[in-house]
Every structure is written in structure tokens, then in C-alpha cells.
């Protein structure tokens, strides 16, 4: 019923996988802290600038470590879906960001992977999305940590059953948006001195005209835009995954193990080995 998982040449233990995932998260968090503390203005000059290379390297290393850690648990169906998720994020994010809509919709692919494959896969997809996108639009690179965080939070929400009830998906997205907005605000304030979107920039300008500091104005804008944006994204992803045939949903081990979606609880098929139903699934919470 499930598509085969890909394994590394020497299979990693659960402890080694967790270590790789932790190192990946630390690399992404460390790069984020570097950007906030150093406030490198040259990062908007493209991948050739020193700060951009540091950020690109740090985020890329973190994403790769996350992928290596989660790779043994991912079925081929998930690996094939990740490039599609990246394209979805970039195309929608680039289009919506150029309009007067105060949202982003650049995390649909990230949240989709997180719901189907778990927090680590979602975080890796979010970081990779920002890295690839930065070659077309350098201003998104510093936000890779926030994108990874949204992927992680979406996976955690899925693991704890918040997609089992359709009405809980936007609630989970709203809460994730609050956290993500608070994390992204310092980058927007200290690295860019504002936001890159037309509508979000107008909101920041409005708060600034009322006497708010730059960080306060951007944080308020983030707390207006991000929770609603992520509520919409989580809802759209819930619609997408429930539109999939049940057989397709059950191809994803993470979905089966944690009963991520309503109606995904299944009995062990006759003839399926214990290793398939338990041994291989020990790492599906990645």
C-alpha cells in the first residue's frame, strides 16, 4: 500500500537521525541569530555578497542535515512531492507579494509536506524553498529560518491531530502565524528596515506614522498579516489533503502512524511484516 522508503547506504539509528535533525535546526537557528545581530545590509545584493554567502551556507547546511536525518523515513512519494512544493511556494509567494493583498501564501507547499511527512521534512522544505527562491529574489533568503519554523510547527500540529478536525486547521495556522511573525519581525526590521511586500510595507508605514519604532511597527504588521496568512494556508492544505483519495493519503507513513487525518486509522494488512508496520515506522515522527 505504501511506496518504498529510501534508505541511506548505512542505515542510521534513531539516535543518529535525531542528532542530525538537531544539528540542522541549530545551523538554521544560528544563521538566523547571525543575521539579526549583524544586520548585514549587503545581503540584498544577491548571492555574491559575503553576508548572503554566509546565510546561504548556514541555511543550506541546516536543510541538508534535516533531509539526511529524515531521508530513511521518507517514501518516494514524498521525495517526488518536495520539488512540487518548492515551485508552489515560489510561484504563489512571488505573485501575491507583488499585489496589494497583505498576505504571502508562500508556505502552502511547506505545510503540505509537513502534514504528509512530519516536522523535520516540513522544516527542510521551508528552508530549501527560501534558498531556491533567493536566486530569483535575494530578499527572501534571511527569512529561511521563519519558513523552516512554519514547516516544523505545521508538522507538530499534524502529529497532534489538529488536521483531524477540519475546523482546527485554521486555528493551528493562526497560532503558527503568531510565532512565525514574531520570529520574522527582527529580520525585516534589522536587515531590511521594513518589509518587501507592497501591502505589508504600507501597513508598516501606517504604524510608523503613528509614532511606533521600526521594530514595533513591523511586529504589529506581522501580528496582523502572518496569523491570517497561515490560517488561510493551513485551511487550503487541509482542503488539498482531504481531496486526495484515501489510498493516496495512506501511502505516507507519517499520516498512518499518527492518524494525521480523519479516517486514516488502518489495520495491519495481512502478510505485512512486523518490520514494515513497526520497525520502519519508528522514525516517522521526524
Amino acid at each position: 500500500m505504501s511506496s518504498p522508503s529510501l534508505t541511506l547506504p548505512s542505515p542510521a539509528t534513531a539516535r543518529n537521525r535525531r542528532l542530525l535533525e538537531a544539528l540542522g535546526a541549530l545551523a538554521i537557528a544560528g544563521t538566523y541569530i547571525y543575521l539579526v545581530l549583524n544586520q548585514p545590509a549587503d545581503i540584498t545584493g544577491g548571492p555574491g555578497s559575503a553576508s548572503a554567502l554566509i546565510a546561504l551556507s548556514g541555511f543550506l547546511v541546516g536543510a541538508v542535515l534535516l533531509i539526511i536525518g529524515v531521508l530513511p523515513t521518507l517514501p518516494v512519494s514524498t521525495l517526488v512531492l518536495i520539488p512540487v512544493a518548492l515551485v508552489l511556494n515560489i510561484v504563489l509567494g512571488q505573485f501575491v507579494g507583488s499585489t496589494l493583498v497583505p498576505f504571502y501564501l508562500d508556505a502552502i507547499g511547506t505545510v503540505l509536506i509537513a502534514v504528509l511527512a512530519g516536522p523535520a521534512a516540513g522544516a527542510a522544505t521551508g528552508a530549501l524553498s527560501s534558498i531556491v527562491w533567493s536566486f530569483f529574489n535575494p530578499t527572501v533568503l534571511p527569512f529561511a529560518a521563519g519558513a523552516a519554523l512554519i514547516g516544523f510547527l505545521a508538522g507538530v500540529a499534524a502529529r497532534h491531530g489538529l488536521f483531524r478536525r477540519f475546523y482546527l486547521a485554521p486555528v493551528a495556522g493562526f497560532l503558527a502565524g503568531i510565532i512565525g511573525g514574531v520570529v520574522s519581525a527582527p529580520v525585516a526590521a534589522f536587515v531590511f528596515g521594513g518589509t518587501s511586500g507592497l501591502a505589508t510595507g504600507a501597513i508598516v508605514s501606517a504604524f510608523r506614522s503613528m509614532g511606533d519604532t521600526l521594530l514595533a511597527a513591523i511586529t504589529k504588521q506581522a501580528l496582523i498579516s502572518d496569523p491570517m496568512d497561515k490560517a488561510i494556508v493551513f485551511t487550503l492544505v487541509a482542503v488539498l489533503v482531504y481531496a486526495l483519495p484515501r489510498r493516496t493519503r495512506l501511502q505516507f507513513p507519517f499520516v498512518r502512524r499518527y492518524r494525521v487525518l480523519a479516517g486514516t486509522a488502518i489495520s495491519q494488512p495481512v502478510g505485512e511484516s512486523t518490520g514494515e508496520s513497526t520497525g520502519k515506522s519508528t522514525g516517522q515522527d521526524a
Side-chain angles (χ1 to χ4, degrees):
M1 178 176 294
S2 61
S3 56
S5 298
L6 298 184
T7 57
L8 296 175
S10 54
T13 63
R15 180 177 298 176
N16 288 336
R17 288 195 306 97
R18 294 299 185 195
L19 177 60
L20 289 171
E21 292 169 11
L23 290 175
L26 286 174
I28 292 174
T31 306
Y32 166 83
I33 293 172
Y34 159 79
L35 292 174
V36 172
L37 294 180
N38 288 277
Q39 306 175 26
D42 65 332
I43 198 169
T44 58
S49 66
S51 298
L53 286 174
I54 293 173
L56 186 64
S57 300
F59 288 135
L60 183 59
V61 167
V64 169
L65 288 173
L66 286 172
I67 290 175
I68 293 175
V70 75
L71 182 62
T73 72
L74 294 180
V76 174
S77 54
T78 303
L79 295 175
V80 171
L81 195 57
I82 288 178
V84 178
L86 298 183
V87 172
L88 190 62
N89 285 346
I90 295 170
V91 171
L92 284 176
Q94 192 69 34
F95 173 74
V96 175
S98 63
T99 68
L100 294 177
V101 178
F103 302 124
Y104 316 105
L105 301 186
D106 58 355
I108 290 179
T110 298
V111 175
L112 178 63
I113 294 296
V115 170
L116 296 177
T125 302
L128 281 175
S129 178
S130 294
I131 291 169
V132 174
W133 193 359
S134 70
F135 287 98
F136 307 96
N137 182 0
T139 61
V140 304
L141 179 60
F143 296 99
L149 177 62
I150 293 300
F152 174 79
L153 293 174
V156 171
R159 185 166 63 188
H160 287 86
L162 293 181
F163 282 84
R164 256 179 248 149
R165 296 290 181 270
F166 189 83
Y167 60 85
L168 291 179
V171 175
F174 191 89
L175 295 176
I178 292 175
I179 299 172
V182 170
V183 168
S184 297
V187 172
F190 299 145
V191 177
F192 294 112
T195 60
S196 56
L198 294 178
T200 53
I203 295 174
V204 170
S205 298
F207 281 123
R208 290 281 282 159
S209 67
M210 297 177 190
D212 285 339
T213 64
L214 180 61
L215 180 58
I218 292 177
T219 301
K220 288 180 179 180
Q221 174 271 313
L223 291 177
I224 291 174
S225 300
D226 286 56
M228 291 304 299
D229 173 71
K230 298 309 179 292
I232 293 171
V233 167
F234 276 50
T235 302
L236 290 175
V237 170
V239 171
L240 287 174
V241 294
Y242 277 108
L244 295 173
R246 183 173 183 272
R247 180 181 180 85
T248 301
R249 284 182 256 151
L250 293 177
Q251 289 181 350
F252 298 94
F254 178 77
V255 172
R256 295 199 310 271
R257 185 182 183 199
Y258 291 102
R259 293 195 305 112
V260 169
L261 305 171
T264 52
I266 59 173
S267 302
Q268 180 177 334
V270 176
E272 183 176 345
S273 66
T274 303
E276 172 70 16
S277 60
T278 57
K280 284 187 180 180
S281 65
T282 55
Q284 303 303 337
D285 56 343

